Amino acid sequence: MPPPPVNPKAIFLNIPYDKEFEKLYLAYVVGIYQLGLVPYLSSGIAGGERRLDRIISLIQGCRYSIHDLSRVELNIAPPSTPRFNMPLELGLTIAWAKLRPSRHSWFLSESEPRRLHKSMSDLDGTDPYIHSGTVEGVLSELRNAFVRNDAPTVRTMMVDYRMVESDVEKILNDAGTQNLYAPSVFRELCFVAWKAAEFMSGAGS
């Protein structure tokens, strides 16, 4: 089966789906729209195919991917285990990009400098974007990864972030869930982030 067509604005977002990461997740969604791009999550894929097959198809259809490896600690819920989903999806992405380099480019994010050498030494020579675990750090490193002459400032992006953040409680209540990563919530966050980016772009024109 041939791979799906590539969306030149699509970014596959490979991140941990947990409560502690929510602010950074929101920063990624907002920042990506501020840069004129569109985020995709594996949790938002429709259809009944096996999850891994859906992830592979999503990676193949996105021009870019961001892999946040900042959460390498053990999950404290018993049995205590490390997080392997994100490195697995990174490995799939690297293989795809090697096979079709003109179709996909990938980026690594971390919260601490030099930790990648210890956690995944096979990636020596690859410089991760260090966001220091902050919203401002994520927004700043997105600007560094996707360089644009007309990129908004981090200050402008933070205004957008706060606009979207103020809608989070309503979005969750309307969806009847507290899961910020739920597919319907993600779609609504994307819509609100897109509208906020459009508003800020218009305000600056």
Side-chain angles (χ1 to χ4, degrees):
M1 180 181 297
V6 176
N7 181 339
K9 292 187 175 183
I11 299 181
F12 170 57
L13 202 49
N14 179 15
I15 59 173
Y17 296 170
D18 61 34
K19 191 74 175 174
E20 291 77 12
F21 199 80
E22 285 182 351
K23 287 186 178 295
L24 301 191
Y25 157 57
L26 191 59
Y28 276 118
V29 172
V30 169
I32 286 170
Y33 274 105
Q34 279 281 305
L35 294 169
L37 301 166
V38 182
Y40 286 84
L41 291 181
S42 59
S43 68
I45 307 172
E49 305 98 326
R50 193 162 65 105
R51 179 175 175 80
L52 186 59
D53 293 335
R54 289 184 292 158
I55 291 172
I56 291 171
S57 181
L58 179 58
I59 292 169
Q60 291 175 333
C62 291
R63 179 63 184 85
Y64 307 102
S65 60
I66 296 173
H67 305 264
D68 194 303
L69 302 182
S70 61
R71 301 296 297 279
V72 295
E73 74 276 10
L74 293 177
N75 188 319
I76 60 173
S80 183
T81 50
R83 299 167 180 263
F84 285 145
N85 281 340
M86 287 165 292
L88 171 63
E89 292 171 18
L90 171 60
L92 293 171
T93 302
I94 292 173
W96 174 244
K98 284 291 186 182
L99 291 171
R100 301 288 181 91
S102 64
R103 288 178 55 112
H104 195 88
S105 299
W106 51 274
F107 304 88
L108 292 182
S109 294
E110 246 285 12
S111 59
E112 298 183 22
R114 297 181 293 279
R115 184 165 61 177
L116 185 65
H117 172 74
K118 185 176 181 180
S119 66
M120 206 173 291
S121 60
D122 283 350
L123 288 176
D124 275 359
T126 301
D127 294 324
Y129 291 86
I130 307 299
H131 55 61
S132 303
T134 68
V135 169
E136 292 89 344
V138 167
L139 298 175
S140 176
E141 292 309 317
L142 282 173
R143 293 177 81 254
N144 290 330
F146 301 95
V147 177
R148 285 177 34 181
N149 290 334
D150 59 344
T153 65
V154 171
R155 179 178 295 180
T156 297
M157 296 169 89
M158 281 300 301
V159 172
D160 214 1
Y161 173 86
R162 294 187 185 101
M163 289 171 60
V164 177
E165 186 183 38
S166 67
D167 282 342
V168 165
E169 185 175 354
K170 180 180 183 301
I171 291 171
L172 291 173
N173 289 338
D174 288 348
T177 180
Q178 289 302 303
N179 179 9
L180 203 60
Y181 306 94
S184 63
V185 174
F186 174 61
R187 286 194 297 271
E188 188 63 23
L189 284 175
C190 286
F191 177 75
V192 173
W194 171 73
K195 291 295 288 182
E198 290 286 297
F199 173 79
M200 294 302 292
S201 176
S205 61

